[in-house]
Amino acid sequence: MNQREKRLMAAVGALLLLWGASQGLSRYREAVAASEDRQIAAEQSLGEAKTELARSERALSRLRDGLRRSLPTDADVARSLYQDWLQAELSGASIEVDEINDTSSNATGEHYRQLTFTVLARGSLKAWTDFFAAFQSAPHLHRVSFASLTPDKDTPSELRASVTVDALLLNGCRREDRLSQASVEIDREAVRSDAELIVTRELFAPYRPQAESAGAEAGVVASGGDDPSSQALVTAMTYGRGGWSMTVRREDTGEVLVFREGDRVQIGRVRGRLVEVDGRRATLRSRRGQRVLSLGRRLSEAEIEADRS
């Protein structure tokens, strides 16, 4: 083999070596990419498994809480005990009970049974507020599914009410002959404050728009004087036949103002159109942007947001 052939063979060998190295590098990169894909898939699966575990733990916690609060599994015993409890709470709140009727239907599922009671009674607004506060803080697995309160024709200071209450019996409950004695965490100071706000309201006063009158009474803030918006407290956000409304109580004058979505609010330096109410927060929109009002806070404490319109 002459020198030229040797050089040619060396060149061919070098090319084969480079080709083999290139193929090996490609297979290595593919293996690394596949490994990374498997790692990403494993991490996603682990994340999904953790999410499902958290959901399961929350569901199990709710189930355990429901079993602690369930009525006893013996339906006849549960019906009698719960009806007695309702009567005692109503009477304890100074409400005169006309009727408590068992109106249960066949609302049952694989793991529960529902009892329904209709209460016809009358009492003052404070009495009803006290009862609903006690109802909310009770440990039973129950709810008020319907309530209608109207002023008594003969005694306007009293409210006649028709209240429908649903209570559940869960099959896994181990109690058969007594109601739940579980403890319920409740912010009693918040309950007391809410009750005071409800009792001081004129629930059945006819609605009158306050858009212009509020601004006229507020006027321009005098130099060196207090801003009327600092004395205007948001006391309620409610939903009725006319949609959402916001109630504001002027602490300086005692006047109660009701604004519906679309009304113009003008109290002191706080001015704008009420564009949204959701039960805990309300939004005022003006040329300068948006103000977010919170239930239980004064208008002057509104949070300012940029106008998103």
Side-chain angles (χ1 to χ4, degrees), residues 122 149-161:
R122 61 183 180 274
L149 288 83
T150 57
D152 187 273
K153 294 180 179 179
D154 300 326
T155 311
S157 61
E158 290 195 343
L159 303 177
R160 285 189 172 273

Side-chain angles (χ1 to χ4, degrees), residues 84-300:
D84 290 345
W85 179 84
L86 270 180
Q87 176 71 59
E89 292 297 328
L90 289 163
S91 299
S94 300
I95 294 174
E96 186 175 345
V97 179
D98 295 329
E99 297 179 22
I100 299 181
N101 297 317
D102 180 1
T103 54
S104 303
S105 61
N106 294 323
T108 59
E110 182 180 357
H111 303 292
Y112 74 92
R113 178 171 180 175
Q114 177 178 299
L115 299 180
T116 301
F117 299 89
T118 300
V119 177
L120 301 177
R122 61 183 180 274
S124 66
L125 178 59
K126 182 181 185 308
W128 281 109
T129 303
D130 291 344
F131 167 72
F132 286 125
F135 186 94
Q136 183 67 23
S137 62
H140 314 308
L141 194 61
H142 60 181
R143 66 172 184 174
V144 173
S145 57
F146 173 82
S148 173
L149 288 83
T150 57
D152 187 273
K153 294 180 179 179
D154 300 326
T155 311
S157 61
E158 290 195 343
L159 303 177
R160 285 189 172 273
S162 174
V163 180
T164 301
V165 176
D166 300 324
L168 291 183
L169 295 70
L170 300 184
N171 291 348
C173 178
R174 297 182 178 180
R175 285 178 288 100
E176 297 182 356
D177 57 357
R178 66 185 187 282
L179 295 177
S180 173
Q181 300 297 321
S183 60
V184 177
E185 295 183 5
I186 185 170
D187 188 342
R188 299 191 180 279
E189 181 60 27
V191 171
R192 184 193 64 78
S193 177
D194 291 344
E196 288 181 355
L197 290 176
I198 293 172
V199 171
T200 56
R201 291 186 60 200
E202 297 180 19
L203 292 182
F204 300 98
Y207 167 73
R208 59 186 181 90
Q210 300 292 339
E212 300 302 328
S213 63
E217 292 179 12
V220 178
V221 181
S223 177
D226 292 335
D227 181 2
S229 66
S230 66
Q231 299 295 319
L233 182 68
V234 179
T235 59
M237 297 181 187
T238 56
Y239 185 83
R241 293 181 180 178
W244 281 100
S245 65
M246 176 182 71
T247 302
V248 176
R249 178 163 55 85
R250 292 280 300 272
E251 295 181 317
D252 51 350
T253 64
E255 184 179 10
V256 176
L257 311 175
V258 179
F259 301 95
R260 298 191 186 280
E261 288 184 341
D263 285 351
R264 181 168 178 77
V265 179
Q266 188 172 347
I267 301 179
R269 294 191 178 95
V270 176
R271 305 180 182 188
R273 190 169 300 280
L274 186 63
V275 296
E276 183 180 7
V277 182
D278 66 8
R280 300 295 300 178
R281 291 158 59 90
T283 302
L284 288 182
R285 180 175 296 165
S286 66
R287 294 178 181 178
R288 297 183 178 180
Q290 295 189 157
R291 290 176 180 264
V292 178
L293 310 175
S294 299
L295 183 63
R297 301 180 71 88
R298 293 172 174 78
L299 266 60
S300 60

Side-chain angles (χ1 to χ4, degrees), residues 7-84:
R7 290 195 188 99
L8 182 61
M9 289 295 294
V12 171
L15 289 173
L16 289 174
L17 181 61
L18 289 173
W19 179 83
S22 175
Q23 291 297 311
L25 181 60
S26 297
R27 287 193 293 271
Y28 171 75
R29 288 175 174 172
E30 291 174 356
V32 171
S35 177
E36 290 177 346
D37 290 342
R38 288 194 295 271
Q39 180 180 356
I40 292 173
E43 290 175 350
Q44 290 177 342
S45 298
L46 178 60
E48 293 173 356
K50 288 182 177 179
T51 300
E52 289 300 320
L53 178 60
R55 289 176 179 170
S56 299
E57 289 176 345
R58 288 195 296 269
L60 182 59
S61 176
R62 289 195 297 269
L63 176 60
R64 288 171 176 167
D65 181 64
L67 291 174
R68 285 194 295 268
R69 301 175 61 183
S70 168
L71 268 61
T73 51
D74 187 315
D76 292 333
V77 172
R79 182 178 293 106
S80 176
L81 291 177
Y82 188 77
Q83 189 165 337
D84 290 345

